[in-house]
Amino acid sequence: MGAGPTGSLAALLLAHQNRCVVLYDPQSPETLQARSRAYAITHSSRRLLSQLGLWDALQDHLIAFERLDLRDLTLGHQVLFLNDDLALRNRGHRAIGWILDHRPLMDMLFGRLQQAALVQLHLGGSTPPAPGQNSLVVAADGPLSPTRESWGIRCWFNRYHQGCLTAKVVLRGAKSNQACELFRPEGPLAILPLGKNNFQIVWSAPMHRCQERSALPSSTFLDQLASVLPPGMEPDLLLDQPKAFTQQWMLAHRLSHGRGVLIGEAGHRCHPVGGQGLNLCWRDVDVLMRVVKQGGPAAHVAARYGRKRWIDLILVGLATDLLVRVFSNRNWFLMVFRNVLLKLLRNNAGLRQLSLKAMTDGPMQIWRALPD
Ligand SMILES: Cc1cc2nc3c(=O)[nH]c(=O)nc-3n(C[C@H](O)[C@H](O)[C@H](O)COP(=O)(O)OP(=O)(O)OC[C@H]3O[C@@H](n4cnc5c(N)ncnc54)[C@H](O)[C@@H]3O)c2cc1C
């Protein structure tokens, strides 16, 4: 249920394991492909996509960034993460992460789904057959998940006062091989390279301000953006219509129900700081594939999946929530804490390596960085 990036990838990987898959989404393929968004892709996602040869198929669309520039604009501190700060097994790829636009990703996934003999596609309203008695039901139907509702699963929920605004812009003075996360009192601002001088902006601020900014004429919008960018960066051109989104942390009380599982944003959401969202959804897919491979009745598979995902989801939810709370305010105690933390990060390669490991492979993998 759901052919967004999570449901589509899960369908492909299940078919790869010789399972018959029926993939349903009420939206047409054109609508599903049309989202104007770019994803930050981490090494955990790279490994998953590589299993199916999808990584190589995306090469022309992946924009690698070799540097991650983290700045606290209130305190004036800067920490630069470089390829050398990656754990050894990731270092060979010469990128801290990649930026991937939604459209080429979905084009590639739908192309592969159409070729997969074991996948039946029901997109754009054609009614799917009812699932068989022993089938696993995979709900990847997004944050409002009608399937989760119908299973009676409730959620823990925290709506942030901050919303976020996304826009694609041409920037002068920004490095095309570098991603930036700027912490400002009104919220984090991410600048993600899209190739040449094009960048995706993910600008967090109080929701009413995001909405106001999304409705500004493009010249006024660019002026406002210029006023918050670091010295030396100048926005030249707006490439799409800015869009404002609400932000929330959400976690379903259960991730399985009988022979059904919740994956992707049907089961959880987190703040976009650090670009964790889709990578976390795809780690659900990774774990689901492992438990399906172990075999057994669908209800056992579902229960095993549900148990295995908790720690990663809670840790990433906590980490992103803490980042936003600690870095988006002027409380003097937290400013002292940030001051110490950023100085430690700047001066200690081991600490930079641990934080990158948590960000790129998931917090549960931190221990693997230690022997390196
Ligand atoms: C502003 C913003 C910026 C973001 N930036 C990043 C980033 O930089 N990096 C990153 O990794 N992530 C990012 N994310 C998060 C990322 O977009 C999501 O994690 C991702 O879209 C989740 O994919 P999904 O397939 O789980 O859900 P969705 O993409 O929401 O897909 C759900 C699908 O389910 C379908 N559906 C709805 N109802 C039904 C039904 N009854 N039956 C069947 N199907 C149904 C919908 O049509 C939809 O196609 C961002 C999110 C936002 C809002």
Side-chain angles (χ1 to χ4, degrees):
M1 312 295 288
T6 308
S8 297
L9 183 64
L12 262 185
L13 281 156
L14 283 165
H16 189 63
Q17 289 193 11
N18 287 327
R19 310 283 165 167
C20 291
V21 183
V22 177
L23 179 60
Y24 169 69
D25 198 297
Q27 300 198 54
S28 67
E30 295 73 35
T31 316
L32 286 164
Q33 281 158 307
R35 204 183 266 178
S36 179
R37 182 173 298 172
Y39 303 107
I41 302 292
T42 65
H43 283 271
S44 67
S45 297
R46 169 187 60 76
R47 279 193 293 275
L48 184 63
L49 293 172
S50 299
Q51 284 176 26
L52 277 182
L54 303 179
W55 187 249
D56 291 337
L58 284 169
Q59 278 308 310
D60 290 347
H61 305 285
L62 288 160
I63 309 296
F65 55 91
E66 290 148 26
R67 299 150 59 100
L68 173 63
D69 180 355
L70 190 146
R71 294 191 204 187
D72 184 322
L73 294 185
T74 311
L75 297 176
H77 283 313
Q78 178 180 25
V79 180
L80 204 54
F81 292 87
L82 302 171
N83 193 59
D84 287 348
D85 296 323
L86 279 171
L88 267 184
R89 69 172 178 158
N90 292 330
R91 221 175 271 170
H93 291 270
R94 307 222 55 78
I96 287 181
W98 296 262
I99 307 299
L100 176 59
D101 205 57
H102 178 78
R103 182 176 276 279
L105 169 67
M106 296 311 287
D107 283 352
M108 189 274 295
L109 290 176
F110 285 157
R112 295 291 175 110
L113 284 167
Q114 274 153 4
Q115 288 164 10
L118 292 174
V119 178
Q120 267 184 54
L121 284 176
H122 290 268
L123 306 180
S126 79
T127 319
Q133 288 288 313
N134 300 319
S135 304
L136 180 72
V137 180
V138 180
D141 48 356
L144 301 176
S145 178
T147 313
R148 187 185 66 225
E149 288 282 305
S150 73
W151 290 344
I153 299 180
R154 300 172 64 140
C155 299
W156 291 289
F157 195 83
N158 174 33
R159 175 158 290 187
Y160 292 106
H161 297 301
Q162 281 177 13
C164 107
L165 179 140
T166 57
K168 289 180 178 160
V169 293
V170 175
L171 284 183
R172 222 177 329 132
K175 294 190 172 73
S176 60
N177 65 347
Q178 177 170 296
C180 302
E181 188 82 69
L182 311 175
F183 288 104
R184 310 176 52 250
E186 66 171 5
L189 169 67
I191 303 170
L192 310 174
L194 295 176
K196 300 186 182 142
N197 290 328
N198 300 348
F199 292 83
Q200 163 98 33
I201 301 291
V202 184
W203 187 356
S204 299
M207 189 58 198
H208 69 275
R209 254 186 243 164
C210 294
Q211 282 164 335
E212 282 161 19
R213 285 170 182 153
S214 69
L216 290 172
S218 66
S219 57
T220 322
F221 176 84
L222 292 174
D223 286 346
Q224 289 212 3
L225 180 60
S227 70
V228 299
L229 290 175
M233 277 190 211
E234 289 284 337
D236 272 346
L237 190 66
L238 186 57
L239 298 170
D240 67 352
Q241 175 61 42
K243 288 202 187 78
F245 300 88
T246 54
Q247 292 181 10
Q248 56 193 245
W249 170 82
M250 183 274 275
L251 182 59
H253 289 189
R254 280 178 294 138
L255 297 169
S256 68
H257 173 84
R259 55 199 172 82
V261 291
L262 297 176
I263 63 169
E265 293 213 335
H268 51 85
R269 284 191 94 181
C270 61
H271 193 285
V273 67
Q276 292 295 301
L278 187 61
N279 301 290
L280 195 57
C281 295
W282 282 356
R283 288 210 291 275
D284 293 347
V285 177
D286 193 15
V287 169
L288 184 64
M289 292 314 116
R290 286 167 205 257
V291 295
V292 165
K293 212 171 188 176
Q294 286 166 6
H300 291 187
V301 168
R304 269 206 308 272
Y305 162 83
R307 284 195 298 273
K308 281 186 182 275
R309 282 307 287 147
W310 281 111
I311 301 179
D312 193 24
L313 296 179
I314 290 173
L315 289 179
V316 172
L318 265 178
T320 48
D321 188 77
L322 271 176
L323 265 180
V324 174
R325 286 178 200 279
V326 171
F327 280 87
S328 304
N329 69 60
R330 290 178 188 272
N331 173 298
W332 70 267
F333 174 75
L334 291 177
M335 285 180 37
V336 172
F337 173 72
R338 266 152 52 192
N339 195 24
V340 175
L341 182 72
L342 291 169
K343 278 186 181 156
L344 277 174
L345 265 178
R346 202 169 48 200
N347 298 325
N348 188 316
L351 207 54
R352 285 199 303 279
Q353 196 180 35
L354 271 183
S355 12
L356 265 194
K357 180 82 183 163
M359 228 164 68
T360 197
D361 289 335
M364 284 171 72
Q365 302 293 321
I366 282 186
W367 63 273
R368 285 200 182 172
L370 297 174
D372 288 342

